[in-house]
Amino acid sequence: MSGHVAETDSDSAWSGGKSPFGVSYGKVFMWFFLVSDALTFSGLLCAYGFMRHRHPEVWPNPGDVFTHFPFYHGHIPLAYVGLMTLILIMSSVTMVLAVEAGHRNDKKKVTIWMLLTIIGGAMFVGSQAWEWYHFIVGTDHGALRSVFVDGKWVEQTVYGANMTVNEYGLPVFANFFFFITGFHGFHVFSGVIINIVIFTNVIKGTYAKRGHYEMVEKVGLYWHFVDLVWVFVFTFFYLL
Amino acid sequence: MSEFHDDYPQYEFMAHHSEEAGKAKRRKLWNVFWIMLVVTIVELIIGFNAKKLGLLHDDRTSTFTLKVIFIGLTILKAFFIVYKFMHLGDERKFMKYSIIGPYSIFIIYLVFIIVGEANYSLIHKDKMDKIIVDQKEKANRDAEKGHHGEEHGEEPSEGEHH
């Protein structure tokens, strides 16, 4: 937010003694960190795209893989990830509302919205664990795949997916799935932890004393970034 | 306001706004949420009906049109997250471009490299697949040989232990 910044003319902006970006040190470096993190995820997704492009005919169809829904016996592709996406977008909205409440120094509202964000994040991590569980366990019938056993490649019926075999198709799909969604899930998890830390400080009144809720804004940046990455993971893993 | 950065008078740590301004901002944020929700639902509907809409090759792999639609909608969502939720749209020009600029350059470069290399390896797929099959067969042959070799090799080591 910089609508509040006193306008500096571009001639003197970089001559020192002022912030040419019009934002605090902490926020600038949160942004730079996010750019580097975004490049990491881009690299991973590009590698995924490479393998997928190279193996078009044996690549698993996500619509056949992720078909489970809690408390429902049957197959509805995409529904559950759609719900997960909704949960994460929702928690992004509650986060931005917490930031907005912070701008008004409204401690009570910040507390409520931060709490909802934490709950949303925890729900998302839980959903991802559930999704992994079903991917690892696989179907009842399994599929015949080439497996490396005792130093030999043999045909074998395999159930579910892990780092070496994948019932649904190429093992490298499972490797990418575990690594990328795992890396993202770890970001969500650490985001929840950081949110809890900031939430505790909000309750304790640290930021009310300080006069501004900029820490909420910084952690909000990180949280929105997690949502941003998920939007891309969702597209490349589940939709395409 | 704060004990930090007192020598930086040009900005304040936070934008403070009044109750009325907050109301307008909240309304805008909820509008962004509804847009994102609609885009996601549209994506899911297209995903469900891709086969019916004739957007799949051989009933399973996505066509170029489908890829363009999905990636376009994703970038639209990314724009809303970055510009509205992360408030990059409200930042100063310097700030905006030093975030978007380097990232875009790297990403365009990376995608260019990856697409080129993936196409190359797709063209030479048969040759590369043959290498993998050969490696597998060689591994099996070695395993056969190695199995017998081990049985012979174990005897002297056993002798040493005795």
Side-chain angles (χ1 to χ4, degrees), chain A residues 5 42 59 104 152-153 235, chain B residues 26 60 74 92 140 144:
Chain A
V5 177
S42 313
W59 200 260
R104 288 181 284 110
K152 282 182 82 174
W153 288 93
T235 302
Chain B
R26 278 197 298 270
R60 56 186 308 280
T74 305
R92 196 174 279 184
N140 280 5
E144 292 281 331

Side-chain angles (χ1 to χ4, degrees), chain B residues 48-98:
Chain B
F48 277 129
N49 300 309
K51 206 183 266 185
K52 269 183 238 158
L53 295 167
L55 290 168
L56 295 182
H57 286 305
D58 320 323
D59 285 351
R60 56 186 308 280
T61 45
S62 332
T63 56
F64 184 71
T65 328
L66 190 65
K67 285 176 191 163
V68 169
I69 293 171
F70 277 147
I71 292 172
L73 288 175
T74 305
I75 291 174
L76 181 73
K77 276 204 280 188
F79 168 80
F80 278 117
I81 293 175
V82 173
Y83 267 62
K84 302 295 173 192
F85 285 172
M86 295 166 99
H87 298 301
L88 191 65
D90 303 336
E91 300 288 3
R92 196 174 279 184
K93 237 196 237 164
F94 277 151
M95 182 68 190
K96 239 191 280 191
Y97 295 146
S98 51

Side-chain angles (χ1 to χ4, degrees), chain B residues 27-144:
Chain B
R27 204 172 37 241
K28 266 189 199 158
L29 290 174
W30 278 109
N31 284 343
V32 173
F33 168 71
W34 291 119
I35 294 169
M36 302 255 302
L37 185 66
V38 168
V39 171
T40 307
I41 289 171
V42 167
E43 279 181 336
L44 284 172
I45 289 171
I46 296 173
F48 277 129
N49 300 309
K51 206 183 266 185
K52 269 183 238 158
L53 295 167
L55 290 168
L56 295 182
H57 286 305
D58 320 323
D59 285 351
R60 56 186 308 280
T61 45
S62 332
T63 56
F64 184 71
T65 328
L66 190 65
K67 285 176 191 163
V68 169
I69 293 171
F70 277 147
I71 292 172
L73 288 175
T74 305
I75 291 174
L76 181 73
K77 276 204 280 188
F79 168 80
F80 278 117
I81 293 175
V82 173
Y83 267 62
K84 302 295 173 192
F85 285 172
M86 295 166 99
H87 298 301
L88 191 65
D90 303 336
E91 300 288 3
R92 196 174 279 184
K93 237 196 237 164
F94 277 151
M95 182 68 190
K96 239 191 280 191
Y97 295 146
S98 51
I99 301 297
I100 306 278
Y103 182 75
S104 309
I105 291 166
F106 275 116
I107 271 327
I108 291 165
Y109 175 67
L110 187 60
V111 169
F112 165 72
I113 293 286
I114 288 288
V115 169
E117 292 296 312
N119 268 328
Y120 175 84
S121 92
L122 190 64
I123 291 165
H124 297 277
K125 191 170 175 7
D126 295 339
K127 225 191 299 178
M128 291 185 181
D129 283 354
K130 194 176 169 302
I131 293 171
I132 294 169
V133 170
D134 286 351
Q135 276 174 349
K136 281 188 178 181
E137 279 169 0
K138 187 175 175 296
N140 280 5
R141 273 201 308 278
D142 287 354
E144 292 281 331

Side-chain angles (χ1 to χ4, degrees), chain A residues 174-187:
Chain A
N175 299 350
F176 272 116
F177 179 79
F178 286 130
F179 197 88
I180 297 180
T181 62
F183 198 46
H184 175 262
F186 182 66
H187 273 75

